[in-house]
Amino acid sequence: MTDFGVRSTPARASAANQETQITAEEAIQAAVEALSATTVVTAVNNQVFNNVQTTYTSAEIACGGYRKVLLRIILGVANAPGTIKINLQFSEGGATFENYARGPFSSLMYEDTAGAKSECIEAPILGSRLKINVVATGTDATNTFTLTCKLNGIR
């Protein structure tokens, strides 16, 4: 009688063969995880925009080997500071950086009336390096924005 759905171990299978198969499966799993791994970089870290600082540009971030980036925005608002614009900038050689201006990145701007935000926006990688450039308006000593931007590179 046949047991459907039950697979028997072939007579020639040995513990060594099974161990080799398990090792190979583990190596495949490790390779898949490495290929799909993400890297997290904090480009803007708890930066306060007020009467002293109204603009900020992050350091260059190497992004070769990645296909996409997930921009994670954590924005705090105190009182009524006006607007804050976040520009994702790419460069091929590092000499000049251009603003990415497609979809939400055409005008990634928040105003004080929208309140605090915690959002993620995906974009393709369009150069070997990128920066985050931020411009705030209407800020002063009490009307402030506090911004953190993290980037997840997706292979």
Side-chain angles (χ1 to χ4, degrees), residues 75-153:
L75 179 65
V77 179
N79 300 316
T83 62
I84 189 164
K85 186 171 188 326
I86 302 167
N87 299 300
L88 186 61
Q89 300 177 327
F90 289 101
S91 176
E92 195 51 50
T96 59
F97 282 79
E98 297 86 20
N99 289 344
Y100 177 56
R102 184 172 181 193
F105 293 98
S106 296
S107 183
L108 188 52
M109 189 177 298
Y110 298 95
E111 44 186 47
D112 62 345
T113 57
K117 294 284 179 200
S118 185
E119 298 181 342
C120 296
I121 305 170
E122 185 180 291
I125 296 290
L126 299 172
S128 61
R129 298 173 184 153
L130 68 85
K131 289 182 181 181
I132 301 290
N133 168 263
V134 183
V135 179
T137 60
T139 57
D140 60 29
T142 58
N143 297 295
T144 64
F145 288 110
T146 303
L147 179 67
T148 296
C149 290
K150 296 183 180 185
L151 299 162
N152 287 49

